């Protein structure tokens, strides 16, 4: 007799692969056909996960054909099933999957759109902390301090103008030309807004969000734009309620 872990592993493989024959001796459904009941369970599993992906990536689903999205979702679920019970975290690798999916080669904008949509999902499910008041920034005079940003802040780099699709400024039916774009996804409660960033601001915010010190983050931005206005940029972070903590532990 197989152990519970072995049965669970076989069940997972059968659901993903579609072959329940190895489970024939393990599944009992009284008078019903056990393998047919398994097929129903398998179909419902894929349908529920596909619905979840459509809910997280509605614009991607809309831009692609409905059948194509369902096909891509099916292949994604087969190759990368959920690894934890929280569905809110499932789909983080879907944009990368699409970028490598052979059927997406004719529509390279789809992975870019999916990346921005996942950033929205990540922002909505991340913790939101109280922002520091402006008076707290008197302690941020040392260049070696770290400005801790909101966990919900998401930064998206794209080779396509996906920001236009989300803002509704793109004229439907006209082709999209490649353009490097830098987008911040900002959350306030249950509300999401997008902010298009310059290249310098993007690397500044990204460096800070990764825990780098202020002077290092500023040097990264100045490498992109020698006229990068550091004081003004810190004020923008304050006004957008993005700074939640000032870490002076390395200041000296």
């Amino acid at each position: 007799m197989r152990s519970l872990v072995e049965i669970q592993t076989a069940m997972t493989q059968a659901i993903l692969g579609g072959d329940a024959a190895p489970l024939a001796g393990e599944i009992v459904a009284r008078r019903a056909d056990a393998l047919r009941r398994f097929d129903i369970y398998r179909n419902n599993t894929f349908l529920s996960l596909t619905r979840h992906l459509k809910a997280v990536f509605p614009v991607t689903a809309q831009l692609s054909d409905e059948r194509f999205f369902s096909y891509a979702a099916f292949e994604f679920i087969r190759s990368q099933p959920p690894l934890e019970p929280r569905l809110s975290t499932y789909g983080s690798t879907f944009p990368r999957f699409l970028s490598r999916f052979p059927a997406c080669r004719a529509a390279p904008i789809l992975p870019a759109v999916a990346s921005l949509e996942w950033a929205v999902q990540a922002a909505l499910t991340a913790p939101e902390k109280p922002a520091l008041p402006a008076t707290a920034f008197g302690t941020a005079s040392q260049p070696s301090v770290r400005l801790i940003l909101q966990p919900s802040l998401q930064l998206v780099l794209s080779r396509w103008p996906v920001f236009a699709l989300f803002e509704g400024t793109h004229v439907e039916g006209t082709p999209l030309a490649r353009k490097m774009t830098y987008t911040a996804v900002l959350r306030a409660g249950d509300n999401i807004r997008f902010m298009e960033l310059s290249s310098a601001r993007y690397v500044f915010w990204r460096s800070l969000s990764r825990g780098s010190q202020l002077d290092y983050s500023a040097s990264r931005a100045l490498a992109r734009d020698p006229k990068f206005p550091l004081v003004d940029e810190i004020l923008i972070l304050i006004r957008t309620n993005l700074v939640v903590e000032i870490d002076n532990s390395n200041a000296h």
Side-chain angles (χ1 to χ4, degrees):
M1 180 179 294
R2 289 191 287 186
S3 67
L4 177 59
V5 172
E6 290 173 332
I7 294 175
Q8 289 174 330
T9 301
M11 184 75 168
T12 300
Q13 293 172 346
I15 291 172
L16 298 177
D19 181 13
L23 289 172
E26 308 288 353
I27 301 176
V28 178
R30 296 183 180 179
R31 297 180 181 178
D33 185 329
L35 294 184
R36 185 175 181 182
R37 286 289 182 90
F38 171 83
D39 287 339
I40 294 173
Y41 176 78
R42 179 176 186 264
N43 289 338
N44 287 338
T45 298
F46 275 86
L47 284 173
S48 63
L49 291 176
T50 299
R51 282 195 295 266
H52 165 74
L53 293 174
K54 286 182 178 178
V56 174
F57 302 99
V59 179
T60 306
Q62 183 180 4
L63 289 175
S64 62
D65 181 79
E66 182 81 10
R67 291 174 298 177
F68 176 82
F69 187 89
S70 296
Y71 164 56
F74 179 83
E75 294 300 326
F76 172 71
I77 295 165
R78 283 185 58 193
S79 62
Q80 300 181 43
L83 299 178
E84 56 181 293
R86 292 187 304 149
L87 270 185
S88 61
T89 63
Y90 184 58
S92 61
T93 58
F94 188 57
R96 179 175 294 184
F97 169 84
L98 290 178
S99 69
R100 300 174 179 177
F101 193 42
C104 266
R105 288 173 183 168
I109 194 172
L110 290 180
V113 173
S115 294
L116 188 54
E117 290 198 282
W118 180 257
V120 172
Q121 171 74 359
L124 288 172
T125 56
E128 187 178 20
K129 297 184 177 181
L132 286 181
T135 53
F137 286 81
T139 62
S141 58
Q142 295 290 334
S144 57
V145 303
R146 293 190 306 125
L147 302 182
I148 312 301
L149 304 187
Q150 283 283 2
S152 59
L153 172 67
Q154 303 295 316
L155 300 168
V156 181
L157 169 66
S158 175
R159 292 180 173 84
W160 294 90
V162 291
F163 184 74
L165 292 172
F166 279 74
E167 275 215 319
T169 56
H170 172 66
V171 179
E172 188 175 355
T174 60
L176 278 174
R178 281 181 177 267
K179 177 188 176 184
M180 193 69 73
T181 58
Y182 310 87
T183 306
V185 179
L186 308 174
R187 172 188 169 193
D190 293 332
N191 297 317
I192 290 290
R193 69 183 181 95
F194 303 106
M195 185 175 177
E196 193 165 14
L197 309 180
S198 66
S199 172
R201 181 178 292 173
Y202 172 82
V203 298
F204 182 58
W205 287 19
R206 185 182 63 173
S207 183
L208 290 174
S209 68
R210 292 181 173 180
S212 298
Q213 295 176 351
L214 181 60
D215 54 353
Y216 175 79
S217 301
S219 68
R220 295 289 308 277
L222 287 166
R224 296 285 182 100
D225 179 6
K227 296 182 179 180
F228 184 74
L230 179 59
V231 174
D232 291 343
E233 290 295 325
I234 293 176
L235 289 174
I236 289 172
L237 288 173
I238 297 171
R239 291 167 185 159
T240 50
N241 297 319
L242 285 176
V243 183
V244 298
E245 183 183 345
I246 297 175
D247 180 4
N248 290 287
S249 59
N250 293 317
H252 52 81

